[in-house]
Amino acid sequence: MDDSGTTPAGNRLHYGILVSTFLSLVLAGFLFDTPSDIVKGLLKIVTDPDYLITDYMGIGGVGAAFVNSGLVSLLCIALLGFLKVQVTGITFAAIWTVAGFSFFGKNLLNVWFIIAGVRVYAFYRKEPFSRFIYSALFGTALAPLVTQILFGFNVSPALKIPLAALAGISVGFILPPLGVAMMRFHQGFNLYNIGFVSGLVGSLVLSIFQSYGFLPQSRLVWSKGHNAALAPLFFAFFLALFALGYFLEGRKISGLAAVMRYPGRIVTDFILLEGIGPTLMNMGLGGMGSILYLLAIRGDINGPTLAGVFTVVGFSAFGKHLRNMAPILAGVVLGGVTKVWGLSDPPIQLAALFGTTLAPVAGEFGIFWGIAAGFLHSSLVLNVGALHGGFNLYNNGFSGGIVAAVLVPVIEAIRTGREKT
Amino acid sequence: MIHEHERVVRMVAELQNVLFSMGANEIRSEILETPDAFHVSVRGNSRGNICRQVEKLRKLLSLARRADMEEELWSLAGSVDFDTELSLVGMMSDRAEVRCDGDAGVVEVELVRKK
């Protein structure tokens, strides 16, 4: 069977994997809390302003965070199915990213305004919505903008409800053309392109808000103490993902070796290039590696770091693998040894996981430049959040875009110089 | 669809980059626009028999048209000369044909992109 997803059977298999994954996440939520606690937790989650860093496990509890993540993902998968979108690596990346950030910032209320904005753009352009579906899904990075206006502004509901809707829809409307334009800025070396775009848009929006007297506040809701329960659960889950890939590939791992030979620059859709089996094995490895990294640095497995882990897993279907991620992590660790912060500081835990957005730099130019990219990223990401006031959930994508845009032309110039001598 | 001509130009640029990387030093490109489609032909010479390398080219260009991926990523086609975006060009085309004549030292790619 051609399992690249280009056949109806392959596509059904991919949808089935996605649905069963996130249905199991919803069900797992009930292992941690009672149904009534989960409902109360979900209400707390959807009425929170959400800007960075807001751990939904700290706001609504572990069970509610799981159910929120699972339900938001399932609804997005339903939207993909309704639009008859073919599921390949980029689809896995988009859904896993949405799922991950539904542990810290995206919820059952706030994502739809951005998606509606992209829908309005498609209507305006007289083109099918399915063409812009990835801008819509990734663009939910700016969902906290909606909830900040709804629940963070002290003005009349008659004003803030239409204002929140207008802000969300307007942002969604401008994302697709910006996504195309900004891709050229980093030449595909920053895997979270919409994160970079959202950083720019968030900075613009924050500037407007500040002109009307709004002052952004820093926030850190970061829950601890879940490692004993969550590490074995997710490690086992990612092991199962690897095993599923192994069996779908006919108990061979040669395809995984082929995956690891790609530099990983956009567009590297592993499902299209190597099939579902090697891709799932790669995703499983990415997930297990991320959990082990967090345990090794005595980090916390909570909403924000699970977002990082899920994003690694999702993009392991679209460019990332252990070979191109390891140098980035090494660069962040090097920063931890030489800079003023420690590896277990919350923003640095996130920088290490999300910093793998720069994995294609290591894949294309080698270990040294990968380490340099991780080292630079770990400093820059601590400073760019102030520009958008935490409205852009993909802060690391914003930083990664800048690092790639600065670093890649320099690397090319140095390499070209060497070739001529 | 906006930037239709720019998209086709980028597809041609990508193919030209690939032929350069395969050793060509003479490349000829043609674009024919009809009411229904763009017909693209890019032909390059080669030093030695490079027909073995053409299999990968053929595989990537034969990927099915994907409007959703194109809309997000098309601006990367032809953007750098040290890596390829052939799979993207494949996803921007409805039909691709790759011919290689090892003896004559010629590689030719023909694409059809429906409007």
Side-chain angles (χ1 to χ4, degrees), chain B residues 11-111:
Chain B
M11 291 165 72
V12 172
E14 182 66 43
L15 293 172
Q16 290 170 331
N17 269 336
V18 169
L19 290 177
F20 272 131
S21 73
M22 292 168 88
N25 58 10
E26 184 182 341
I27 298 172
R28 294 174 192 276
S29 313
E30 278 180 20
I31 302 172
L32 172 67
E33 182 178 3
T34 66
D36 305 321
F38 291 91
H39 300 261
V40 171
S41 169
V42 182
R43 179 187 165 100
N45 65 338
S46 65
R47 278 169 258 170
N49 191 342
I50 56 163
C51 290
R52 278 171 302 176
Q53 297 178 40
V54 166
E55 267 319 299
K56 188 181 173 194
L57 191 69
R58 197 169 276 139
K59 177 189 170 187
L60 295 174
L61 290 177
S62 68
L63 290 173
R65 179 99 185 246
R66 287 285 300 272
D68 53 344
M69 290 187 66
E70 173 185 331
E71 210 53 57
E72 196 81 17
L73 307 166
W74 65 266
S75 62
L76 281 179
S79 60
V80 297
D81 61 359
F82 51 82
D83 192 15
T84 69
E85 294 292 356
L86 281 172
S87 60
L88 180 59
V89 174
M91 287 184 269
M92 294 167 73
S93 313
D94 292 279
R95 205 173 69 229
E97 199 171 320
V98 182
R99 285 188 289 273
C100 184
D101 185 336
D103 296 331
V106 172
V107 179
E108 184 168 12
V109 180
E110 285 186 1
L111 302 177

Side-chain angles (χ1 to χ4, degrees), chain A residues 296-381:
Chain A
I297 61 156
R298 297 176 190 278
D300 305 298
I301 299 177
N302 57 18
T305 55
L306 273 181
V309 173
F310 274 37
T311 307
V312 166
V313 173
F315 274 88
S316 294
F318 195 68
K320 292 184 186 179
H321 48 68
L322 292 184
R323 271 187 73 201
N324 63 9
M325 285 191 287
I328 306 296
L329 275 179
V332 176
V333 171
L334 183 63
V337 175
T338 58
K339 297 178 186 175
V340 294
W341 37 259
L343 289 174
S344 59
D345 291 0
I348 300 303
Q349 291 186 47
L350 300 182
L353 294 169
F354 289 116
T356 53
T357 184
L358 289 162
V361 174
E364 187 74 47
F365 302 115
I367 293 172
F368 173 79
W369 289 113
I371 292 172
F375 187 82
L376 290 173
H377 173 76
S378 64
S379 287
L380 184 63
V381 75

Side-chain angles (χ1 to χ4, degrees), chain A residues 41-180:
Chain A
L42 283 173
L43 281 173
K44 284 183 187 166
I45 284 171
V46 297
T47 53
D48 192 86
D50 299 319
Y51 58 92
L52 287 175
I53 294 173
T54 300
D55 179 358
Y56 281 167
M57 290 186 184
I59 298 289
V62 175
F66 270 56
V67 171
N68 181 64
S69 172
L71 287 181
V72 173
S73 310
L74 287 170
L75 288 169
C76 289
I77 296 165
L79 178 63
L80 289 168
F82 176 73
L83 296 172
K84 296 186 169 49
V85 173
Q86 190 187 330
V87 174
T88 59
I90 191 172
T91 330
F92 272 71
I95 292 294
W96 277 84
T97 302
V98 167
F101 280 90
S102 297
F103 282 108
F104 94 122
K106 299 183 185 181
N107 60 49
L108 289 161
L109 173 70
N110 64 9
V111 297
W112 307 112
F113 297 90
I114 309 288
I115 292 173
V118 178
R119 177 69 189 89
V120 172
Y121 176 77
F123 179 77
Y124 176 77
R125 298 261 6 130
K126 296 186 178 65
E127 292 189 33
F129 181 34
S130 58
R131 278 180 180 267
F132 306 100
I133 190 62
Y134 297 115
S135 291
L137 295 179
F138 286 121
T140 51
L142 284 163
L145 173 65
V146 174
T147 30
Q148 172 64 45
I149 297 173
L150 278 177
F151 305 114
F153 281 9
N154 192 21
V155 292
S156 143
L159 179 64
K160 65 186 181 182
I161 292 172
L163 186 62
L166 184 67
I169 291 170
S170 304
V171 161
F173 187 89
I174 62 174
L175 280 177
L178 284 177
V180 170

Side-chain angles (χ1 to χ4, degrees), chain A residues 144-378:
Chain A
L145 173 65
V146 174
T147 30
Q148 172 64 45
I149 297 173
L150 278 177
F151 305 114
F153 281 9
N154 192 21
V155 292
S156 143
L159 179 64
K160 65 186 181 182
I161 292 172
L163 186 62
L166 184 67
I169 291 170
S170 304
V171 161
F173 187 89
I174 62 174
L175 280 177
L178 284 177
V180 170
M182 294 305 148
M183 189 69 86
R184 298 171 195 152
F185 184 72
H186 53 76
Q187 299 180 73
F189 283 94
N190 174 32
L191 290 173
Y192 312 156
N193 178 51
I194 291 289
F196 179 68
V197 173
S198 299
L200 295 177
V201 174
S203 303
L204 195 66
V205 170
L206 179 67
S207 305
I208 295 169
F209 281 4
Q210 285 178 314
S211 303
Y212 288 93
F214 169 78
L215 292 174
Q217 296 165 333
S218 61
R219 186 185 212 205
L220 180 63
V221 180
W222 185 271
S223 66
K224 287 173 174 279
H226 310 302
N227 288 18
L230 297 184
L233 179 73
F234 280 103
F235 195 89
F237 181 78
F238 296 132
L239 188 61
L241 205 60
F242 181 92
L244 177 62
Y246 179 69
F247 285 110
L248 285 174
E249 188 62 4
R251 303 183 187 212
K252 289 182 291 189
I253 58 165
S254 53
L256 184 60
V259 161
M260 295 211 186
R261 282 196 286 272
Y262 287 94
R265 180 174 160 262
I266 301 171
V267 185
T268 308
D269 190 312
F270 289 137
I271 292 183
L272 284 174
L273 295 169
E274 298 298 333
I276 186 71
T279 304
L280 289 177
M281 284 191 267
N282 192 46
M283 291 169 70
L285 282 182
M288 287 187 280
S290 301
I291 295 287
L292 290 176
Y293 172 79
L294 286 171
L295 296 177
I297 61 156
R298 297 176 190 278
D300 305 298
I301 299 177
N302 57 18
T305 55
L306 273 181
V309 173
F310 274 37
T311 307
V312 166
V313 173
F315 274 88
S316 294
F318 195 68
K320 292 184 186 179
H321 48 68
L322 292 184
R323 271 187 73 201
N324 63 9
M325 285 191 287
I328 306 296
L329 275 179
V332 176
V333 171
L334 183 63
V337 175
T338 58
K339 297 178 186 175
V340 294
W341 37 259
L343 289 174
S344 59
D345 291 0
I348 300 303
Q349 291 186 47
L350 300 182
L353 294 169
F354 289 116
T356 53
T357 184
L358 289 162
V361 174
E364 187 74 47
F365 302 115
I367 293 172
F368 173 79
W369 289 113
I371 292 172
F375 187 82
L376 290 173
H377 173 76
S378 64

